[in-house]
Amino acid sequence: MDNVIGSALRQARSAQGMSLRQLARAVHFSPGYLSKVENGAKIPSVELAVACDRVLGISPPIADLAKRLPRRRRPVAHPDTVVPAQLPHAPSGFFGRDTELSALTEWARAEPRGPELRCRVLTGDPDAGKTALAVYFGHSSADVFPDGQLYLDLRGSTAGPLSVQAAHVRLLRGVGVGTGSIPEDPDEALAMYRSLTAGRRLLVVLDDAADADQVRPLLPGGGTCAVLVTSRHRMPDLVVRDGAAEMRIGPVPDTATRDALCAGLGTARVAAEPAATSALIAALDGAPLAIRTAVARLRDEPSRTITGYLAALLAGRAAESPTLRTRAHRRPEIRRPRTLTG
Ligand SMILES: Nc1ncnc2c1ncn2[C@@H]1O[C@H](COP(=O)(O)OP(=O)(O)OP(=O)(O)O)[C@@H](O)[C@H]1O
Ligand SMILES: [Mg+2]
């Protein structure tokens, strides 16, 4: 390959007395990538060429040359950045949520509308299954986001929510920026985050957000990324001002509860106690954690009847079990923390 661009770049850098590392820091690309471009071992991206022109004042601009270089079709991921895969594992035996999953899938697969924000906020009570749904959806739609998935636990429902600065550090590290290259200034960090996510098909999951103020500085700038927020709190401000759309996560339907019981206990065991099964389904009230608890307990004790478990549940003998905590999840509001910590 004729190394016109690499030579022009090295010449301009030397004329400015800049090391590779200094230039790398200024243009937010790795020194290794820059070195390969200078040696002609890598075709520079247009983004890199534009950034080098800007920093070094190269004339004639190498961006014009870079634009004319033959390229593969749109790369699945930026060749020199990490493809993050940060989602935690989805719960085993995931059940229900067909309606929500198809709405999210339709949203994710729709063509981006220019630079418009693509953001869905899953809201619901504690233990409603917001995180489970977001994570499950993220894994199942991985093909729609070939540039990867970023996942951040914002800890908004705890006494120590993640600060914006700490969130920026994690997001930037997630897209491959070394710790030493992350600007301390929050505005600069945000600008770098937007630059590095621009044009990429990334899913950004912001889990357990406290409020719109915690989410807003973490939104990518362009419309190619999709953002999925979960929160115990509704975010009308994000909906009205930024055009996010809210999805309320309620109980799973009774049919899904029945399916989960059948999958966990076997159809025969469930069919043997039809009345007790129906009553248990009603008592579980579509609460995912309560359903999981019932399945786990009954599976652990093959000799226990569904009637017996239901009786224990209704009598409150399982007072220590998460089942009852789940029932408490119908309480509307959890105290919102005031301070943000790193
Ligand atoms: N659809 C589902 N299928 C299987 N398990 C689920 C499902 N939804 C939730 N769970 C399980 O229920 C529990 C609570 O779910 P999750 O953590 O997603 O709730 P949440 O709404 O995010 O709660 P919080 O407000 O506390 O963050 C988890 O153990 C999760 O694995
Ligand atoms: Mg959660």
Side-chain angles (χ1 to χ4, degrees):
M1 180 171 66
D2 189 0
N3 188 25
V4 179
I5 295 185
S7 307
L9 179 57
R10 177 174 288 135
Q11 210 174 358
R13 181 174 63 76
S14 307
Q16 299 278 338
M18 266 182 135
S19 69
L20 262 179
R21 198 159 287 280
Q22 286 168 325
L23 179 59
R25 199 160 294 164
V27 296
H28 308 316
F29 283 81
S30 71
Y33 178 38
L34 277 172
S35 162
K36 285 181 188 150
V37 169
E38 286 194 357
N39 294 329
K42 277 267 184 200
I43 295 177
S45 67
V46 175
E47 290 84 357
L48 173 74
V50 168
C52 290
D53 283 337
R54 182 174 42 78
V55 171
L56 298 171
I58 306 175
S59 179
I62 58 169
D64 292 347
L65 297 171
K67 280 178 198 157
R68 290 202 289 274
L69 288 175
R71 285 170 200 283
R72 284 177 290 155
R73 287 181 65 237
R74 188 188 178 286
V76 160
H78 193 296
D80 298 281
T81 46
V82 172
V83 176
Q86 297 185 335
L87 291 172
H89 67 85
S92 63
F94 188 85
F95 49 77
R97 304 299 183 207
D98 293 351
T99 312
E100 292 87 347
L101 283 169
S102 46
L104 287 172
T105 304
E106 193 180 328
W107 162 70
R109 289 186 191 271
E111 270 307 300
R113 289 158 51 105
E116 290 182 16
L117 174 70
R118 295 203 295 155
C119 179
R120 287 285 180 279
V121 186
L122 309 183
T123 63
D125 298 323
D127 288 335
K130 305 174 294 293
T131 300
L133 175 61
V135 167
Y136 187 86
F137 167 74
H139 283 292
S140 58
S141 63
D143 64 309
V144 189
F145 301 105
D147 291 316
Q149 308 116 347
L150 292 168
Y151 172 88
L152 206 51
D153 182 357
L154 295 178
R155 306 196 305 249
S157 63
T158 72
L162 203 66
S163 68
V164 170
Q165 285 90 333
H168 281 156
V169 168
R170 295 195 192 175
L171 289 168
L172 285 169
R173 288 182 59 121
V175 290
V177 180
T179 311
S181 306
I182 296 175
E184 277 174 26
D185 181 82
D187 290 339
E188 275 185 46
L190 177 57
M192 183 190 269
Y193 169 63
R194 288 182 181 147
S195 303
L196 292 176
T197 53
R200 298 177 74 184
R201 297 200 68 125
L202 265 171
L203 176 67
V204 182
V205 177
L206 303 175
D207 195 17
D208 193 17
D211 51 30
D213 288 346
Q214 195 188 21
V215 167
R216 203 170 273 119
L218 312 179
L219 297 174
T224 54
C225 297
V227 184
L228 198 51
V229 179
T230 80
S231 181
R232 293 180 181 180
H233 308 284
R234 304 195 61 181
M235 298 199 182
D237 196 39
L238 207 64
V239 172
V240 173
R241 288 176 189 265
D242 303 271
E246 226 174 67
M247 187 186 269
R248 190 81 187 151
I249 305 305
V252 298
D254 287 353
T255 48
T257 308
R258 186 176 291 278
D259 289 348
L261 289 170
C262 287
L265 309 178
T267 323
R269 193 168 168 197
V270 171
E273 294 183 82
T277 301
S278 297
L280 178 61
I281 290 170
L284 294 173
D285 204 13
L289 188 53
I291 298 166
R292 287 189 79 91
T293 306
V295 170
R297 294 272 156 85
L298 283 162
R299 201 172 37 202
D300 276 358
E301 296 177 67
S303 59
R304 193 174 189 184
T305 60
I306 294 175
T307 307
Y309 179 79
L310 176 66
L313 184 71
L314 295 180
R317 290 207 298 262
E320 293 291 303
S321 94
T323 307
L324 296 186
R325 195 167 75 78
T326 301
R327 298 196 145 288
H329 88 232
R330 313 237 176 251
R331 279 181 317 213
E333 191 66 8
I334 289 287
R335 197 159 43 85
R336 192 173 299 205
R338 295 242 157 68
T339 50
L340 296 179
T341 60

